[in-house]
Amino acid sequence: MSDSKQLISNQCNFTSVKPAMMELPYPELQVTGQNLKYANLLTMDYCGGVSEMTAITQYINHESRMSGQRCALAKVLLGIAMAEMIHLQKLAELIWMLGGSVDFVARQQNGQQRMWTPSSVKTSDNIEKMIQQDIEGERGAIQQYKMHMQMIQDIHVNRVLHRIIQDEEYHIMLLQAAVKMC
């Protein structure tokens, strides 16, 4: 390499990052029976405006924006994104088991369908604001999961949603601690 070229490197090494999750098992994925209404509700959690798809994209964007400056914080966000990917996979399997379609379409109760887009992802150049956006996203997800649990009368599905909520609450705790790192 010539002297005139400078080596640019990101010193943040992500190889040791693991999903940021509660150390509790997930319930077995099963359903009482096929139910398209329940499957459609879960599509909103899968790829609606407030969804695992949106959360993953937002966390990866935020992690990428700060990995050069705040390595420890970027690792926390990547760990949370990895947990959200596990949630996405579990929701996909439940949707399929309930007889629904696993794609990028959120099927609302009024019959409308909305294709997932990154328009719901919140971005900022301010690290503290990014974390606040992530906290707001987690709170919105918890609220939506609780609302869906009231609408879904399948104990097996609700057990999985409850377990996902436990991770989301853990993420809020991690993010609130991260705000103090700013």
Side-chain angles (χ1 to χ4, degrees):
M1 179 182 283
S2 72
D3 293 332
S4 63
K5 290 188 178 179
Q6 208 175 359
L7 179 63
I8 299 174
S9 171
N10 179 355
Q11 298 299 315
C12 198
N13 183 334
F14 294 102
T15 57
S16 64
V17 176
K18 294 185 177 10
M21 303 166 50
M22 296 293 293
E23 292 192 27
L24 300 169
Y26 277 90
E28 179 182 346
L29 294 180
Q30 58 183 332
V31 298
T32 302
Q34 289 197 342
N35 186 316
L36 196 54
K37 178 183 173 189
Y38 296 168
N40 289 343
L41 282 172
L42 295 182
T43 65
M44 296 179 70
D45 300 316
Y46 183 84
C47 65
V50 175
S51 68
E52 298 298 339
M53 185 69 68
T54 299
I56 292 164
T57 307
Q58 183 167 307
Y59 280 119
I60 294 297
N61 179 273
H62 289 175
E63 171 270 316
S64 298
R65 288 171 175 253
M66 68 178 68
S67 64
Q69 310 166 40
R70 303 276 178 93
C71 182
L73 194 48
K75 287 180 179 182
V76 169
L77 296 186
L78 182 58
I80 294 172
M82 292 166 75
E84 304 296 4
M85 290 177 198
I86 292 168
H87 299 165
L88 187 77
Q89 185 278 327
K90 294 196 179 301
L91 289 171
E93 193 166 338
L94 288 173
I95 292 166
W96 178 81
M97 292 169 77
L98 288 164
S101 296
V102 179
D103 49 26
F104 296 104
V105 177
R107 291 163 180 83
Q108 300 172 348
Q109 287 187 297
N110 61 9
Q112 290 186 342
Q113 297 183 7
R114 297 189 62 148
M115 182 86 157
W116 184 86
T117 71
S119 62
S120 298
V121 174
K122 305 226 180 344
T123 60
S124 174
D125 290 328
N126 177 291
I127 290 175
E128 190 171 343
K129 188 170 182 176
M130 284 183 214
I131 295 170
Q132 290 300 333
Q133 291 167 333
D134 294 335
I135 291 171
E136 289 170 20
E138 294 289 353
R139 288 182 176 146
I142 291 168
Q143 181 180 8
Q144 182 169 287
Y145 279 126
K146 287 181 177 180
M147 180 180 68
H148 288 170
M149 286 175 71
Q150 291 176 351
M151 300 167 82
I152 294 172
Q153 303 301 310
D154 185 318
I155 191 167
H156 304 293
V157 173
N158 282 340
R159 283 182 183 148
V160 175
L161 298 183
H162 176 73
R163 175 60 187 82
I164 291 173
I165 288 171
Q166 290 176 304
D167 283 342
E168 307 298 20
E169 291 170 340
Y170 179 61
H171 296 163
I172 291 173
M173 184 193 74
L174 292 174
L175 293 165
Q176 287 172 334
V179 167
K180 296 174 184 167
M181 295 169 60
C182 292

